């Protein structure tokens, strides 16, 4: 039987900004991810459980995530409410160059439920670090998405395959992969 997150686990949303909708990213998977994230947010907020947001503040001049431009804003489905902490990062992991670890520990949070983008980049880097730091980590597979990409030999892999491989790399070692339905199940 799959282990589910405990009630009151912190919901950590990764890089859910308008930048990810730019066509330059290419073909994506999981078109329902934003609706699933909105469902997670509604459930967490209705329970008065903690929600934290990670915002990517790229320093690259050509990044769609560069601060100070319209695409830097949060997506409407994941807009933070007043009082919900925002962790600003400049690398792929939300733990590098931020005080996320110290803030989580100081607040007593040991269980994290993570959703966001990009599955095989910032989500995977953050989940790996969370697991390595000893957090009880859950990754919402249908609350994430990624893009098709070529491997180092030039072979193209569709977004669904990239997503599935990233989840396979994480599940059981760094986190427990769950669905939105699992995350909102009454326990």
């Amino acid at each position: 039987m799959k282990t589910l997150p405990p009630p009151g686990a912190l919901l950590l949303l990764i890089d859910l900004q308008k930048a990810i909708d730019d066509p330059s990213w290419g073909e994506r998977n999981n078109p329902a991810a934003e609706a699933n994230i909105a469902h997670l947010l509604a459930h967490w907020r209705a329970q008065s459980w903690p929600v934290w947001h990670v915002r990517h503040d790229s320093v690259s001049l050509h990044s769609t995530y560069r601060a100070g431009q319209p695409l830097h804003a949060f997506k409407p489905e994941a807009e933070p409410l007043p009082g919900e902490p925002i962790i600003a990062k400049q690398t792929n992991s939300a733990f590098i160059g931020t005080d996320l670890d110290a803030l989580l520990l100081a607040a007593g949070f040991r269980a994290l439920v993570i959703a966001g983008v990009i599955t095989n980049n910032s989500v995977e880097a953050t989940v790996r670090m969370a697991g390595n730091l000893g957090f009880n980590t859950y990754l919402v597979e249908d609350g994430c998405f990624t893009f098709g990409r070529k491997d180092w030999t030039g072979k193209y892999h569709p977004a669904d395959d990239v997503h599935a491989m990233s989840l396979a790399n994480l599940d059981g070692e760094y986190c427990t992969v769950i669905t939105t339905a699992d995350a909102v199940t009454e326990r």
Side-chain angles (χ1 to χ4, degrees):
M1 184 167 142
K2 186 184 297 188
T3 304
L4 298 178
L10 184 137
L11 179 61
L12 186 66
L13 300 177
I14 310 290
D15 298 351
L16 289 162
Q17 295 158 255
K18 294 177 180 179
I20 204 66
D21 293 335
D22 190 272
S24 65
W25 290 100
E27 165 256 337
R28 72 171 260 194
N29 73 320
N30 196 6
E34 288 88 347
N36 291 330
I37 289 164
H39 186 59
L40 288 167
L41 269 171
H43 181 77
W44 251 252
R45 289 169 174 163
Q47 307 299 319
S48 298
W49 292 347
V51 175
W52 291 14
H53 304 263
V54 176
R55 183 187 67 220
H56 190 74
D57 293 345
S58 179
V59 294
S60 171
L61 286 177
H62 303 293
S63 173
T64 59
Y65 277 97
R66 187 172 43 84
Q69 61 181 343
L71 293 179
H72 183 256
F74 284 100
K75 292 175 73 67
E77 303 88 348
E79 187 74 36
L81 292 179
E84 292 177 349
I86 299 171
I87 307 298
K89 69 177 181 67
Q90 294 181 339
T91 66
N92 54 7
S93 174
F95 289 97
I96 300 295
T98 72
D99 55 357
L100 178 60
D101 184 31
L103 292 170
L104 291 169
L105 293 175
F109 296 119
R110 299 301 308 161
L112 308 177
V113 175
I114 298 178
V117 295
I118 297 173
T119 311
N120 57 301
N121 193 315
S122 293
V123 170
E124 185 167 341
T126 300
V127 168
R128 283 177 183 270
M129 291 213 50
N132 283 331
L133 290 169
F135 290 96
N136 187 10
T137 307
Y138 300 85
L139 176 56
V140 183
E141 65 91 7
D142 58 353
C144 299
F145 63 90
T146 191
F147 301 91
R149 62 178 299 150
K150 290 181 182 178
D151 65 23
W152 67 278
T153 68
K155 180 181 175 189
Y156 181 79
H157 298 272
D160 280 337
D161 292 349
V162 174
H163 183 76
M165 186 56 68
S166 186
L167 296 174
N169 290 337
L170 297 170
D171 190 39
E173 186 167 355
Y174 301 98
C175 71
T176 300
V177 174
I178 61 173
T179 65
T180 298
D182 294 332
V184 301
T185 298
E186 295 297 323
R187 295 179 265 301

